[in-house]
Amino acid sequence: QDGLKQCLSEFKQQLAWVERLDVTSGQVVDPVSQSASDKDAVDPENDFQREMSFYRQAQAAVLEALPRLRKLQVPTRRPDDYFAEMAKSDQQMQKIRQKLKSKQEAMERSEKAKQLRAMRKYGKKVQTEILQRRQKEKKNMLNAVKKYQKGLSDKLDFLDEEQTSSQGNKKGSANQRIKKGPNAKRRYKNQKFGFGGKKKGSKWNTKESFNDVSSFRSKVAHNKGPGKAGKGGKKALNKRPGKKARQKMKSRAR
């Protein structure tokens, strides 16, 4: 104890109280039991009792220091425009925001994956039910056919059911084909450029075109045009006929 007092006297600074702001509180009165709580009254193993003793001691120190500060005209309340620097920097807070955002996105992806798995399970369930129903109908029809073949039954209701089901499927497929029609791209092009008219069979001869000879030119047809004779007419006359042409001419003369 003497050594502690000596060390305290060595580093103790003789300054005004407003510079030190130290408060030494004595015994603290417990408001419940209205008795002074000393060292022996506080159980060190009881965390709640120990923390309450610290709280009461700090509260007593504040009640002792506030009047002294007001007497010295020292403000004890924070102004409205007080700017306090954050304990964490903006970069650290940005990292925290990104981490929270990534966690939220991961949770959304997991939820979507769960929904897709549930939809797939439901689709498989529906598909298996349809297959089982078809197998059951097929089995019932085969049993009915066997009974009819053996003479145990004279009813042909299963054939009517099969025909009605096939007709229903055909009607459904026909309706689908009718409803399908051209796609959106084809409809847009038809609206913009039109259908273009009929292409196939446009060059076929008709009765009217066969009888129409107004565009026929005999000189052009028999190679007697004004340009034909001038270009190669003399050459064609002076040119000697070929071997095959001479043979044909001899055969005709005979």
Side-chain angles (χ1 to χ4, degrees):
Q1 190 174 1
D2 296 335
L4 289 173
K5 288 181 179 180
Q6 184 180 357
C7 291
L8 180 61
S9 62
E10 287 178 359
F11 65 79
K12 189 175 181 181
Q13 297 179 357
Q14 299 296 330
L15 298 173
W17 179 81
V18 72
E19 298 291 339
R20 292 181 285 112
L21 295 177
D22 55 345
V23 178
T24 303
S25 61
Q27 294 181 352
V28 181
V29 179
D30 191 357
V32 178
S33 61
Q34 297 295 330
S35 62
S37 60
D38 53 0
K39 183 179 180 182
D40 298 331
V42 179
D43 186 8
E45 299 298 331
N46 192 346
D47 295 338
F48 180 74
Q49 190 177 4
R50 189 175 65 250
E51 293 296 331
M52 283 302 296
S53 65
F54 293 157
Y55 173 75
R56 286 196 299 270
Q57 189 176 5
Q59 190 176 18
V62 169
L63 292 174
E64 185 181 349
L66 276 175
R68 296 173 67 178
L69 289 171
R70 288 169 184 166
K71 189 177 181 180
L72 296 171
Q73 296 182 357
V74 177
T76 57
R77 290 185 176 274
R78 191 176 289 174
D80 297 335
D81 57 348
Y82 180 79
F83 177 75
E85 187 177 358
M86 298 295 292
K88 293 183 179 180
S89 61
D90 294 340
Q91 295 178 356
Q92 184 70 16
M93 295 303 294
Q94 191 69 21
K95 288 180 181 178
I96 293 170
R97 290 193 192 95
Q98 290 177 0
K99 193 172 182 180
L100 291 173
K101 188 177 179 181
S102 62
K103 283 184 179 180
Q104 187 178 1
E105 290 177 353
M107 290 175 66
E108 290 178 357
R109 285 197 297 269
S110 64
E111 289 294 331
K112 287 181 180 179
K114 287 180 182 178
Q115 291 178 1
L116 287 174
R117 284 195 293 270
M119 290 173 66
R120 287 173 184 171
K121 287 182 181 178
Y122 180 73
K124 288 181 180 178
K125 184 179 178 182
V126 172
Q127 189 175 6
T128 52
E129 288 178 356
I130 292 171
L131 291 174
Q132 289 176 359
R133 187 180 64 190
R134 288 179 180 174
Q135 289 176 0
K136 187 177 180 181
E137 291 176 355
K138 186 177 180 182
K139 187 177 180 180
N140 294 333
M141 188 180 71
L142 290 174
N143 292 331
V145 170
K146 287 180 181 179
K147 287 181 181 179
Y148 181 79
Q149 288 176 352
K150 291 179 181 180
L152 299 175
S153 176
D154 56 348
K155 295 181 180 180
L156 298 175
D157 298 338
F158 58 91
L159 294 176
D160 297 335
E161 293 177 359
E162 185 180 2
Q163 288 178 0
T164 53
S165 62
S166 63
Q167 288 177 1
N169 293 331
K170 286 181 180 178
K171 287 180 180 179
S173 61
N175 291 331
Q176 288 179 358
R177 284 196 297 271
I178 292 169
K179 289 179 181 179
K180 190 176 179 181
N183 55 7
K185 186 177 180 181
R186 183 70 267 167
R187 289 198 299 271
Y188 173 74
K189 287 190 175 181
N190 291 340
Q191 184 180 1
K192 185 176 180 181
F193 302 107
F195 294 93
K198 186 179 178 182
K199 300 294 190 298
K200 189 175 180 180
S202 60
K203 295 184 179 180
W204 289 354
N205 287 330
T206 60
K207 185 178 179 181
E208 289 79 8
S209 65
F210 180 76
N211 294 327
D212 186 12
V213 293
S214 60
S215 61
F216 178 74
R217 300 290 184 271
S218 59
K219 293 182 179 179
V220 176
H222 295 91
N223 200 5
K224 294 182 179 179
K228 301 291 182 179
K231 287 183 178 180
K234 293 181 179 179
K235 292 182 180 180
L237 292 173
N238 296 329
K239 187 177 180 181
R240 186 182 178 184
K243 186 176 180 181
K244 291 182 179 180
R246 290 198 301 271
Q247 289 177 359
K248 286 183 180 178
M249 291 171 67
K250 287 180 182 178
S251 64
R252 288 177 182 176
R254 291 176 184 176

